[in-house]
C-alpha cells in the first residue's frame, strides 16, 4: 500500500486554473499513471495542446465547459461526462459556465506537469 498525505499533494497553477497533483512521479513510486484534480474558474481556459506519448482520461465532477479540439472544433462537456484523448490528440478546455469546473484527469504513462504551469505550491 502507498498512502499519500494531503501535505504531499502539490498544486500547480496558471491564471484561473489550479491542478492538484494527487498522484505523480514526485509523490509516488507508481510508474503507470498521473492523477490530477483540476479546477477551472468561470471564463478560464486550458489552451489546446497534446501529449506525444501519453493518453488522458478526464471525468467531469462539477460544472460545464467546452472541450477544445483539433481544427478549431469544440464540444460541450459537463459534470458526469468522460472523455479520452489518445497520444498526440489535440485537446484543451474552456469553462464557459457560471460555476467552477472541476475534473479528474488520469494520464498514462505518467507526466510531470510542472512544465505547463506558472506557479507551484
Amino acid at each position: 500500500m502507498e498512502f499519500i498525505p494531503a501535505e504531499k499533494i502539490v498544486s500547480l497553477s496558471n491564471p484561473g486554473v489550479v491542478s492538484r497533483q494527487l498522484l505523480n512521479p514526485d509523490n509516488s513510486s507508481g510508474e503507470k499513471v498521473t492523477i490530477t484534480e483540476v479546477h477551472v474558474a468561470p471564463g478560464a481556459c486550458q489552451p489546446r495542446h497534446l501529449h506525444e506519448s501519453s493518453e488522458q482520461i478526464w471525468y467531469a465532477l462539477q460544472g460545464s465547459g467546452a472541450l477544445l479540439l483539433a481544427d478549431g472544433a469544440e464540444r460541450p462537456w459537463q459534470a458526469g461526462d468522460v472523455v479520452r484523448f489518445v497520444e498526440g490528440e489535440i485537446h484543451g478546455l474552456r469553462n464557459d459556465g457560471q460555476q467552477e469546473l472541476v475534473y479528474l484527469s488520469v494520464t498514462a504513462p505518467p507526466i510531470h506537469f510542472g512544465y505547463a504551469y506558472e506557479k507551484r505550491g
Side-chain angles (χ1 to χ4, degrees):
M1 182 188 100
E2 185 173 46
F3 176 79
I4 300 166
E7 63 270 10
K8 295 280 187 176
I9 298 172
V10 171
S11 291
L12 304 174
S13 63
N14 283 331
V17 179
V18 175
S19 179
R20 298 184 67 236
Q21 305 295 293
L22 304 179
L23 183 80
N24 67 47
D26 293 330
N27 70 1
S28 170
S29 61
E31 299 176 354
K32 299 195 187 248
V33 298
T34 294
I35 301 176
T36 59
E37 176 188 281
V38 184
H39 297 251
V40 184
C45 179
Q46 290 181 300
R48 286 175 173 88
H49 62 283
L50 58 85
H51 306 290
E52 290 286 338
S53 58
S54 291
E55 71 174 58
Q56 280 190 322
I57 299 163
W58 292 356
Y59 172 53
L61 298 167
Q62 170 186 305
S64 63
L67 296 170
L68 307 177
L69 307 171
D71 301 320
E74 297 186 8
R75 181 178 182 125
W77 196 53
Q78 64 184 2
D81 291 344
V82 175
V83 63
R84 176 177 168 256
F85 303 104
V86 298
E87 299 91 341
E89 188 170 12
I90 294 173
H91 60 284
L93 179 65
R94 182 182 63 247
N95 181 348
D96 54 14
Q98 299 298 309
Q99 69 173 334
E100 181 179 61
L101 193 160
V102 180
Y103 69 93
L104 196 64
S105 174
V106 178
T107 305
I111 294 177
H112 287 270
F113 285 109
Y115 74 90
Y117 290 88
E118 295 175 7
K119 296 182 182 177
R120 179 184 174 107

